[in-house]
Amino acid sequence: MTNAQADVATSAEVALMSENEELATQLAKSFEELSFLRRLASTLVIDRVAVENEPFAELLNELCEVVCASSLYLFHGAIDDDRCGFVSAGDHSMPFALARALVLAYRSDAAQRPFVLNKPVEGFPVESLILIKINSGRDHGWLLACNHADQHAAAELGFSSVEANLLLSAASMMASHYRNLELLRQKEHLFTDMVRALVNAVDARDPYTCGHSERVAMYARRLAEHIGLSQADCERLYLTGLLHDVGKIAVPDAVLRKCGKLSEVEFNAIAQHPRIGYRMLLPVNALRPVLPGVLHHHESVDGTGYPDCLAGEEIPFDARILAICDAYDAMTSDRPYRQGMPHDRAIQILANGAGTQWDRELTERFLECADHIRRIGEQYVDQLALSREIVVEQPCDDYAPMRQFS
Ligand SMILES: [Fe+2]
């Protein structure tokens, strides 16, 4: 082999090695991108209490690195709205208002496909950018990557279709996630509306207790919040409050609407409502969590309640909460045979019955937030009065002993 041939061979080897290195780098980069997309997919778990941007807050930093951007911005919701969701990663060189102004400036260019710009943008600390719409047939927001983090690449080329396509893949996954959250929310609203329709059908049978279930639900949720329960627990207690008297649907009108003292037979008929409600809701899987509260909301901690004469902590926690809220609303709301008693008097009765009729500790917690609960009740009654005029017959200052079936 001549020297010239050896030189050619050497330079071919060098070129091959360089090509191999480039290929290895590209493979490593592709692997990194695929790994990221896989992590993104596994992170997007639909949770009923998921916060809109929460799953992306951490991943955005990683995505920012993978696409070699100095900063990355995620907008969720209508970009025209000042209150749209916003998460940023990287050097955070632009505050919300400035980054949003940049999206507004280029959104028409990015309406159909990723928009890549590799030149300085006047008025913004930006030398290059990628803008992508997060869309699943509906607009969910925008992804904005700014300034290539690799100074050499930035000077040479800036952003390319490689980074834009990766961002597009991430945006597609985010769009699916947001769409799924929307569908979940619609399903939950439909469910709550159906429950409310059922409860309204029960409450409408006795116009004088109209709104009782919803007020009890609101009080129970407020008390749960005050105690510091999780959002899921608070919502379960709200739902339980809505449904606690649903079994009254099977109680005859003559008994349900009777103003005078109930006979033993009538009382026994109405005392069936917790068990009837329990049986009605039992086949509905989604309502299983409310069953203990529905069945036992008339138990008393001294064991004198019904249907099972449970005592103390034998009574399910939700039922002990419901019993307090139920009693407070029964005492303070107007009935045809009496006017609702003043808030302070009802509070006093609850305090006196703590430890005998109602759970001592939970009653104390109720009393701590009683002012807020009173406001909730007053606002509710004000709203109700707007839609119908309530006439209280035979107003009376004396408190008729609370009927156990309220
Ligand atoms: Fe009840």
Side-chain angles (χ1 to χ4, degrees):
M1 184 185 289
T2 64
N3 285 345
Q5 284 172 321
D7 285 347
V8 170
T10 308
S11 104
E13 279 169 18
V14 168
L16 192 60
M17 280 172 63
S18 162
E19 220 170 273
N20 279 344
E21 272 176 32
E22 207 173 296
L23 195 60
T25 308
Q26 188 55 49
L27 275 172
K29 177 94 175 134
S30 299
F31 181 75
E32 197 183 342
E33 291 169 2
L34 280 171
S35 299
F36 169 77
L37 291 174
R38 206 171 158 185
R39 268 196 304 286
L40 179 59
S42 62
T43 304
L44 301 184
V45 176
I46 298 294
D47 188 302
R48 67 188 299 276
V49 293
V51 179
E52 304 290 342
N53 291 319
E54 191 181 300
F56 304 123
E58 204 173 301
L59 282 167
L60 216 59
N61 277 311
E62 205 177 330
L63 181 58
C64 186
E65 276 179 33
V66 176
V67 297
C68 295
S70 296
S71 54
L72 187 61
Y73 306 89
L74 165 66
F75 297 87
H76 174 232
I79 194 73
D80 296 302
D81 190 337
D82 289 345
R83 295 163 300 172
C84 76
F86 177 67
V87 185
S88 63
D91 64 15
H92 309 280
S93 55
M94 287 190 289
F96 167 76
L98 196 60
R100 179 168 162 262
L102 190 56
V103 175
L104 289 171
Y106 288 106
R107 65 173 163 176
S108 56
D109 297 293
Q112 302 299 328
R113 61 186 66 83
F115 175 67
V116 181
L117 184 71
N118 285 309
K119 66 177 186 181
V121 182
E122 197 179 339
F124 297 88
V126 172
E127 302 286 324
S128 55
L129 67 87
I130 305 172
L131 180 62
I132 291 178
K133 186 194 275 189
I134 302 172
N135 180 284
S136 66
R138 293 166 52 86
D139 291 345
H140 299 286
W142 297 86
L143 261 180
L144 171 67
C146 291
N147 298 325
H148 205 294
D150 182 333
Q151 293 300 321
H152 177 67
E156 290 285 311
L157 296 167
F159 288 119
S160 69
S161 59
V162 175
E163 289 93 1
N165 281 330
L166 178 61
L167 268 186
L168 184 61
S169 299
S172 297
M173 288 184 182
M174 290 174 175
S176 296
H177 177 72
Y178 286 136
R179 181 68 186 136
N180 287 338
L181 275 182
E182 276 182 6
L183 292 173
L184 180 71
R185 216 169 286 124
Q186 282 172 14
K187 198 181 104 187
E188 285 184 341
H189 284 160
L190 177 67
F191 178 70
T192 310
D193 287 347
M194 296 288 285
V195 167
R196 195 166 282 119
L198 176 64
V199 170
N200 286 344
V202 177
D203 279 5
R205 294 186 55 209
D206 183 356
Y208 289 98
T209 60
C210 189
H212 168 71
S213 301
E214 187 145 25
R215 285 193 300 275
V216 170
M218 290 192 290
Y219 299 157
R221 180 167 57 192
R222 180 66 192 93
L223 177 54
E225 287 167 356
H226 179 69
I227 292 169
L229 301 187
S230 69
Q231 191 185 344
D233 289 341
C234 294
E235 291 310 311
R236 184 192 65 248
L237 276 156
Y238 177 78
L239 196 58
T240 311
L242 278 182
L243 289 163
H244 76 285
D245 273 345
V246 75
K248 283 186 180 174
I249 206 157
V251 177
D253 277 350
V255 178
L256 198 62
R257 295 182 175 199
K258 185 170 178 180
C259 297
K261 193 171 174 356
L262 295 175
S263 69
E264 192 179 339
V265 172
E266 289 167 339
F267 180 80
N268 287 340
I270 210 160
Q272 294 300 315
H273 79 272
R275 222 180 269 291
I276 295 169
Y278 176 87
R279 286 198 212 106
M280 280 173 62
L281 304 177
L282 189 60
V284 186
N285 270 337
L287 292 175
R288 287 284 167 94
V290 311
L291 293 179
V294 169
L295 182 59
H296 294 296
H297 71 276
H298 281 290
E299 304 285 1
S300 178
V301 292
D302 60 6
T304 61
Y306 62 89
D308 291 330
C309 299
L310 300 182
E313 295 196 354
E314 289 174 345
I315 305 170
F317 178 81
D318 288 6
R320 280 180 276 148
I321 294 249
L322 260 286
I324 299 165
C325 301
D326 191 20
Y328 174 79
D329 189 69
M331 288 190 277
T332 54
S333 49
D334 294 333
R335 296 291 162 90
Y337 48 89
R338 64 162 167 81
Q339 197 169 33
M341 72 171 63
H343 167 83
D344 290 344
R345 197 166 166 202
I347 289 301
Q348 191 56 53
I349 289 171
L350 285 175
N352 291 343
T356 52
Q357 183 161 359
W358 301 288
D359 181 288
R360 181 180 300 284
E361 194 182 332
L362 291 174
T363 306
E364 283 166 7
R365 305 308 300 269
F366 182 92
L367 299 182
E368 286 168 7
C369 61
D371 283 343
H372 194 187
I373 282 179
R374 172 172 57 180
R375 283 198 295 279
I376 291 172
E378 287 169 351
Q379 283 166 8
Y380 187 89
V381 171
D382 287 347
Q383 283 172 2
L384 203 64
L386 287 176
S387 58
R388 66 167 60 187
E389 190 179 347
I390 300 175
V391 179
V392 179
E393 296 165 9
Q394 301 170 341
C396 172
D397 283 335
D398 291 333
Y399 166 60
M402 188 184 66
R403 294 193 294 186
Q404 281 292 302
F405 56 85
S406 59

